[in-house]
Amino acid sequence: MKQIIAKRLSLLVFVLFGVTLITFFLSHVIPGDPARMMVGQRADEATLQEVRRQLGLDQPVWVQYFTYVKGLLSGDFGISIRTQQPVANDLITFFPATLELALTAFVIALVVGIPIGILSAVKKDTVWDHGGRLFSIAGVSTPVFWSGLVGILIFYKLLGWFPSSGRIDLSVAAPAQITGLYVLDSLLTGNWQAFANSLWHLILPALTLSFAQLAIVTRQVRASMLEVLGQEYIRTALANGIKGPLLLFRYALRNALIPTITVVGLSFGSLLGGAVVTETIFGWPGMGKYVVDSIAYLDFPAIMGFTIVISVGYVIINLLVDLTYLLLNPQIRE
């Protein structure tokens, strides 16, 4: 177990090196001048050159890269060109909103997707199975921006059930910050007005973000369950009178979940990265909206900081997936 954790953490170094190298040099290939974006089009040449010197843009590219990496090692992601604040502070500010949205979408994908996948497998080639497969195909093939816009049109414009943007109403005070997750913080502080209002704002973007991942989880669970239900040991269990929920959940589902774990883990990583589109559509003040706004300003420090955070998240999620494998199937340790 310790060897696996050490191996995965050592890979994190290579992943971060590759990510910083690629994103840094891509940021210098893309046409544009961050210094000009800061000073504006009417600034004189002397002011422009002074800003370039302050940003280190007058140095050779390899010097700029090593300066950037040196700063990363001390937790310095640079200064955002757009907000003029340290990127690390900006990411800390916006990360809880993205995490709250991704976690909620992840829970929805699991709570809804796994039962639908099981039902489709057990009721194969019935109306339940056809309905589940149609639902999965719709989720996989529908772009997030489209499902988000349709959701706003139906549930905000026509029905008026949910708000179309924001984390909480302006008339409602945000809960005292403990974790930065409004729903959880309002629960911990007993602020029920903030809890109801923040949950009301969270439902529609979370459902939109979870739709595609929910479909992927459903398809994977169905395929795994069908494979497991056809195994010899399942037929042996049936011959010995074991059936119903005991056979389904104790013998079949546990083995079917092993390949599903990989899909579920990668789904959570996709939710963090995929929140970019959802946050933009719903005006959700998270990292996704932050990086989209930063792209318009050629704010490379902010863009690279976001990329590094997401990359680290993927590596940690893969580590958790490997550890979950060991818990579900101890034979892998041997």
Side-chain angles (χ1 to χ4, degrees), residues 131-316:
R133 293 165 66 184
L134 181 62
F135 176 74
S136 300
I137 293 173
V140 171
S141 58
T142 304
V144 174
F145 76 88
W146 178 255
S147 56
L149 293 175
V150 171
I152 290 175
L153 176 65
I154 296 175
F155 295 105
Y156 168 70
K157 181 70 174 178
L158 299 179
L159 300 176
W161 288 359
F162 299 107
S164 63
S165 63
R167 294 183 72 188
I168 196 168
D169 282 349
L170 295 176
S171 58
V172 178
Q177 183 166 347
I178 300 175
T179 64
L181 312 183
Y182 278 8
V183 174
L184 181 59
D185 287 351
S186 56
L187 267 178
L188 294 175
T189 57
N191 188 342
W192 303 114
Q193 184 185 19
F195 171 75
N197 196 270
S198 57
L199 185 61
W200 184 46
H201 280 76
L202 178 61
I203 291 175
L204 190 54
L207 285 173
T208 300
L209 182 60
S210 70
F211 189 33
Q213 303 306 321
L214 191 156
I216 294 173
V217 171
T218 300
R219 288 164 62 93
Q220 179 61 48
V221 171
R222 178 185 181 277
S224 299
M225 284 294 292
L226 286 176
E227 181 179 354
V228 169
L229 290 174
Q231 296 290 324
E232 186 69 29
Y233 74 92
I234 293 294
R235 289 195 289 270
T236 302
L238 283 170
N240 284 281
I242 301 174
K243 56 185 178 180
L246 179 62
L247 174 71
L248 195 61
F249 294 104
R250 182 172 180 179
Y251 293 94
L253 182 60
R254 181 170 181 174
N255 290 324
L257 283 180
I258 293 177
T260 306
I261 292 297
T262 301
V263 175
V264 170
L266 294 178
S267 293
F268 186 69
S270 300
L271 289 172
L272 286 175
V276 171
V277 177
T278 307
E279 290 179 1
T280 303
I281 293 173
F282 288 93
W284 189 264
M287 285 199 310
K289 189 174 185 304
Y290 169 73
V291 76
V292 169
D293 294 341
S294 299
I295 290 173
Y297 281 81
L298 296 178
D299 191 350
F300 294 124
I303 297 169
M304 290 189 290
F306 170 81
T307 307
I308 291 172
V309 169
I310 295 299
S311 302
V312 172
Y314 263 101
V315 173
I316 293 175

Side-chain angles (χ1 to χ4, degrees), residues 32-49:
D33 188 350
R36 175 61 72 182
M37 293 294 293
M38 287 185 67
V39 299
Q41 297 298 325
R42 296 182 178 180
D44 55 41
E45 186 64 22
T47 304
L48 178 63
Q49 294 303 325

Side-chain angles (χ1 to χ4, degrees), residues 19-63:
V19 169
T20 57
L21 190 65
I22 293 172
T23 55
F24 185 85
F25 284 100
L26 279 179
S27 69
H28 284 70
V29 172
I30 297 173
D33 188 350
R36 175 61 72 182
M37 293 294 293
M38 287 185 67
V39 299
Q41 297 298 325
R42 296 182 178 180
D44 55 41
E45 186 64 22
T47 304
L48 178 63
Q49 294 303 325
E50 176 61 22
V51 172
R52 282 179 174 159
R53 188 190 64 78
Q54 293 176 1
L55 295 176
L57 298 177
D58 58 336
Q59 300 292 321
V61 174
W62 65 272
V63 174

Side-chain angles (χ1 to χ4, degrees), residues 45-97:
E45 186 64 22
T47 304
L48 178 63
Q49 294 303 325
E50 176 61 22
V51 172
R52 282 179 174 159
R53 188 190 64 78
Q54 293 176 1
L55 295 176
L57 298 177
D58 58 336
Q59 300 292 321
V61 174
W62 65 272
V63 174
Q64 295 180 42
Y65 176 71
F66 282 105
T67 303
Y68 178 68
V69 172
K70 183 179 178 182
L72 286 180
L73 294 176
S74 60
D76 180 10
F77 287 72
I79 302 296
S80 169
I81 296 173
R82 182 173 64 89
T83 66
Q84 295 294 303
Q85 298 294 322
V87 173
N89 291 350
D90 284 346
L91 293 176
I92 291 173
T93 301
F94 293 110
F95 181 72

